[in-house]
Each structure stands twice: as C-alpha cells, then as structure tokens.
Amino acid sequence: MADTRIEESAELAAFRAEARAWLEANASPKTGVDDWSTQRHHVDQDAMREYFEQCRAWQRKLFAGGWAGISWPSEHGGRGGTSDQVRVFKEEMAAFDVTSGFLDATIAMLGAALRFCGSEDQKRHYLPRLLSAEDAWCQLFSEPGAGSDLAGLAARAVRDGDHFVVNGQKVWNSMAQFADHGFVIVRSNPDVPKHQGITFLLVDMASPGIEVRPLIQANGAGHFNEVFFEDVRIPVENVVGEIDGGWAPTRVVMMAESQFIGGGGADPVTPRLTEMARRLGLADDAGVRQELAACHTRELLLKLLSEAMMQAVRQGDDPPVSGGVLKLFTAESRVLFGNLATRLLGPAATADADPDSEWAQLALINRFSVSIGGGTNEVGRNNIGERDLGLPREPRVDKDVAWKDVPRG
Ligand SMILES: Cc1cc2nc3c(=O)[nH]c(=O)nc-3n(C[C@H](O)[C@H](O)[C@H](O)COP(=O)(O)OP(=O)(O)OC[C@H]3O[C@@H](n4cnc5c(N)ncnc54)[C@H](O)[C@@H]3O)c2cc1C
C-alpha cells in the first residue's frame, strides 16, 4: 500500500526505529506463504488451543518488552505513550509473523470498561494482568434471546449476602473455552426498565456451575461457545460500576469493540490480492482490476479516517466520523475482500489446501463476521441514523416498562 504518512516527527521516527529493532530481535518476518499469524490453522480444538497459546505467548513478550498497552498509563502496566505511537507500532508489527489474536480484542474492551468504570482496586489488580495476558478473558454478553437487543438479556443474578448467584445462558462467546475469566452482564433487577436492572460482573471461568460448550463450525473449528451458568456464586466485589448500573460499562465495552474492529489492522489485504491476481495471470482482467482498485481505495480511506480520528482525539476535538461508521466500512470491505479472493482462485479457493487457498477459504468463510460481531450492520446503520444524523429514534414498545412485564418469545 502507498505510504500515507504525513510529516512524521523526528521523535516518532525514532520511536519507529526502536520498535522495528525490537521486532527484528524478537519476531520473524512474514513470508506470505505459511504465516501462523494470518493462516490461522483452526482445524480442530487442539490446533485452536495451540494458536491461542501462541497468541498469549506473544502478548506476554510484548508486555515484558514494554510494548503492550502503548497508550495506557504506566501505573496500569502500559507505556504511557501516544495514539500515534500505537499506530506506528501496529504498522511495524504488520511485517512480522506475530499476533495477539483475540486477546487484543478483550484487552481493548475490558481495558476500557475497567479504566472508565472500575474501582481503583480493580484497576490495580486486573489491568496489568489483562495486558500481560496472565489472565485471558472472554466476553459473556449475547444470549439466545438477546443479541441486537442486548439490554433485553435474561441471565438472572440474585443477591445472597456478599455474592450474586447467577443462572442462565450466554452464546457466541469467542474463545470462552480457553479463557480464565469472563466479563458477564446479568439481570439483577427485573422490576425496572431493561437498561436499568443490569449488573456487570467479573467471573472466574473455573467457578463451580459454569459449563462451556464449544460450537463447532463447518471448518471444524470452535471459535464460539455456549456458556451455561447454574447457581454460580460471584463475589459482589466483582461488580464493575454500580449494581443495576451495568449498562454504563456495557456501553463502554461496545464502543471500544466498535472502535477496535473499525480501527482495522495495519496489515492491508490488497497487496496480497494484487499479488495473487498477478500470479494467476488475472492482472489485466478488467473486472478484477476494478475490484482491486475498490479494495485499495477502501483500505486507504480506512487508514486515513482512523488517523484523522486519532488526530482529533489528540487535539481534544470531536472525531470527524463516529466509530460506528468505521466499523460499518470495515464490515463492508471484508465482504469485498472475501468475494474477490474466491473469484481470483476459482474452484481452487475451496478445493485446494495450499496457503493461498487456505487464506481465501478463511477470507470467504469469515467475510460476514465483522458484519455481525460487535453489532450487526443493520443495527449499526440505525445507530448512525439516530446519533450522527439526528433521525427519529426507532419506535420502542418496552420503554418505561419493567423488564419482567415485557412480552418475550
Ligand atoms: C465473529 C463473532 C464474534 C462474536 N463474539 C462474541 C463474544 O465474544 N461474546 C458475545 O457475547 N457475543 C459475541 N458475538 C455475538 C454478536 O454480538 C451477536 O451475534 C450480534 O450482536 C447479533 O445478535 P444475534 O446474533 O442475536 O442476531 P439478532 O439480534 O437476532 O439479529 C438477527 C437479524 O435481525 C436484524 N435486526 C435485529 N434488530 C434489528 C433492528 N432494530 N433493525 C434492523 N435490523 C435488526 C439483525 O441485523 C440481524 O440481521 C459474536 C458474533 C460474531 C459474528
């Protein structure tokens, strides 16, 4: 991808050089052929566990080297750096065969919730352990009856002395089978409107009464899980924010998730697609060229928009676009990339097992994951309409109605 860097200061250039030197000493460059960081050999649970542990080992190495949580304050285990430094490190790391995988997402989500809503004790205890991957976390939000309408959730928490006793079911919980801890939202007060009776809890996944059942996908991998709670006792001190006020940290998590996904990787896909088109003799195909140009334009725009957002944050200005816009743009781009990868390879995209085909299979299978995970495109558009464009809010039949009185299927 063309270099879009604008006037890099001498200080930032020195940071870039330091980052590159550390990466060269601690990681192998990507070869584009059999990179574990992009091929994701997720063919069964053992392979997934191995991959997860590889990601965890890399996060530990980053932490030990002082490169985890670059913009986090040092008292929470971070480097106390700037958002520009975060971007630069991501750009440099993209050339190396390393990733923290899903850990990165939970660090962004739970890190934000704890920093904005956690107690001082929680920040001191959990943040460095989160950043160093000493603890691996999973997000326990969605339920069979609560996805887009997350605030309608039904997992029930009843206070019993200095514990909450939780019963219910969560679903689509990424990597919950490997996580040590989870952040879970529960219905602690059914007698008030849905957003007002939710509590946000931190739970040890080894607690008696928790059962994790992987959901095996068509390719044999089990990225997602169902998580069942039966009389699980969670200490009241594990509440993040206020009891019954869990919607506040939940919103922080959702915003951080949207920004995390929308911020995208610094690892562009178009060069790989372009190289593939050349190798397959399709570089002069008019249709392929149109699509490659569209992919390139999207990646460039996303990068520039992310940078403009970071610059605004740095200057204390309003961001030029909301995180939701970036997430939507990323989701639509992923579909384009997956479709083009399969179009380039033709039947080989599904039948062959060489690295290009494996990569294309993943790009195809996973192309809608961003369109659903972290909130669907449709709900994202509703939010953009209401929050960014000031359109009338969607009609709500459950407003001001106690959760227990809202009809449910
Ligand atoms: C890759 C991935 C990872 C995930 N990881 C996690 C995780 O770690 N933890 C977790 O808790 N959850 C996770 N999820 C679940 C995810 O948050 C939900 O799938 C998502 O919120 C949508 O909920 P749902 O699947 O119940 O769909 P539903 O809410 O049932 O939606 C079904 C359809 O109806 C549409 N729809 C719903 N409401 C509206 C509306 N008001 N206006 C217009 N259209 C609407 C939706 O857009 C969708 O097309 C993950 C999902 C994916 C794909």
Side-chain angles (χ1 to χ4, degrees):
M1 182 184 273
D3 194 344
T4 54
R5 277 179 249 153
I6 315 157
E7 290 178 36
E8 191 155 286
S9 67
E11 210 180 328
L12 203 54
F15 175 86
R16 187 183 288 282
E18 189 190 342
R20 190 174 301 168
W22 185 83
L23 286 161
E24 278 166 358
N26 288 280
S28 311
K30 278 194 178 125
T31 62
V33 178
D34 198 23
D35 299 325
W36 75 269
S37 58
T38 49
Q39 287 294 327
R40 302 198 200 101
H41 301 281
H42 287 179
V43 287
D44 57 38
Q45 288 294 297
D46 288 343
M48 282 197 63
R49 177 174 286 281
E50 195 184 322
Y51 172 77
F52 187 80
E53 291 306 330
Q54 256 175 316
C55 293
R56 195 186 252 214
W58 175 244
Q59 183 63 30
R60 285 190 172 143
K61 206 172 201 179
L62 283 178
F63 184 79
W67 298 98
I70 288 173
S71 61
W72 284 30
S74 50
E75 69 264 29
H76 298 147
R79 193 182 171 98
T82 65
S83 52
D84 266 337
Q85 292 179 339
V86 175
R87 170 180 56 81
V88 164
F89 192 77
K90 261 167 98 177
E91 283 170 2
E92 291 302 319
M93 203 178 94
F96 293 86
D97 190 17
V98 284
T99 176
S100 302
F102 184 68
L103 291 164
D104 239 359
T106 46
I107 289 169
M109 290 188 281
L110 183 62
L114 287 172
R115 289 212 315 276
F116 288 109
C117 306
S119 67
E120 286 311 312
D121 278 352
Q122 287 171 340
K123 287 180 202 174
R124 211 173 306 114
H125 177 73
Y126 289 111
L127 286 174
R129 298 170 65 94
L130 171 69
L131 208 49
S132 64
E134 190 167 344
D135 298 332
W137 291 80
C138 62
Q139 182 196 32
L140 303 166
F141 280 13
S142 306
E143 297 183 5
S148 300
D149 179 22
L150 187 57
L153 62 94
R156 191 73 175 90
V158 176
R159 181 85 183 252
D160 178 22
D162 54 4
H163 283 76
F164 278 107
V165 180
V166 176
N167 282 282
Q169 185 197 341
K170 297 289 172 178
V171 73
W172 307 126
N173 311 113
S174 308
M175 303 290 159
Q177 71 272 48
F178 307 132
D180 312 301
H181 298 270
F183 44 105
V184 59
I185 45 177
V186 290
R187 174 74 43 205
S188 45
N189 186 351
D191 299 321
V192 290
K194 61 183 182 181
H195 293 93
Q196 296 168 28
I198 291 171
T199 296
F200 189 115
L201 293 163
L202 306 176
V203 61
D204 184 338
M205 292 300 282
S207 306
I210 293 188
E211 188 188 345
V212 181
R213 290 189 204 155
L215 293 163
I216 306 300
Q217 296 146 230
N219 63 350
H223 173 91
F224 304 108
N225 298 269
E226 296 177 293
V227 177
F228 296 85
F229 287 74
E230 197 182 337
D231 292 332
V232 178
R233 296 183 69 80
I234 305 178
V236 171
E237 66 188 29
N238 287 16
V239 172
V240 176
E242 303 290 324
I243 293 173
D244 295 343
W247 193 244
T250 303
R251 275 181 58 91
V252 172
V253 167
M254 291 196 293
M255 270 190 270
E257 186 175 19
S258 194
Q259 263 166 22
F260 175 80
I261 298 172
D267 190 7
V269 174
T270 312
R272 181 164 193 154
L273 289 168
T274 311
E275 193 43 46
M276 246 157 83
R278 279 208 187 92
R279 251 197 334 272
L280 295 164
L282 293 168
D284 55 2
D285 179 296
V288 167
R289 292 161 71 100
Q290 290 286 315
E291 288 184 49
L292 281 172
C295 292
H296 175 63
T297 309
R298 283 185 158 265
E299 288 202 303
L300 214 51
L301 278 174
L302 199 59
K303 188 167 166 7
L304 291 171
L305 278 173
S306 305
E307 277 181 25
M309 274 183 88
M310 276 198 272
Q311 202 156 1
V313 171
R314 225 175 17 248
Q315 292 166 357
D317 297 336
D318 285 338
V321 287
S322 64
V325 172
L326 258 63
K327 198 232 173 215
L328 189 59
F329 197 67
T330 303
E332 290 174 343
S333 303
R334 282 282 287 271
V335 177
L336 212 63
F337 301 153
N339 287 346
L340 181 54
T342 356
R343 176 168 170 194
L344 289 175
L345 285 166
T350 49
D352 287 2
D354 60 89
D356 266 351
S357 303
E358 266 189 25
W359 180 79
Q361 281 158 27
L362 280 168
L364 180 74
I365 291 171
N366 290 334
R367 72 198 190 284
F368 289 113
S369 61
V370 177
S371 306
I372 303 170
T376 66
N377 283 3
E378 292 73 29
V379 172
R381 287 194 192 96
N382 284 346
N383 291 339
I384 291 167
E386 291 172 12
R387 292 179 201 152
D388 298 6
L389 302 177
L391 299 178
R393 292 187 70 83
E394 270 201 290
R396 273 196 38 202
V397 290
D398 54 7
K399 196 165 187 287
D400 302 327
V401 179
W403 176 83
K404 68 175 178 356
D405 298 328
V406 176
R408 254 173 290 281

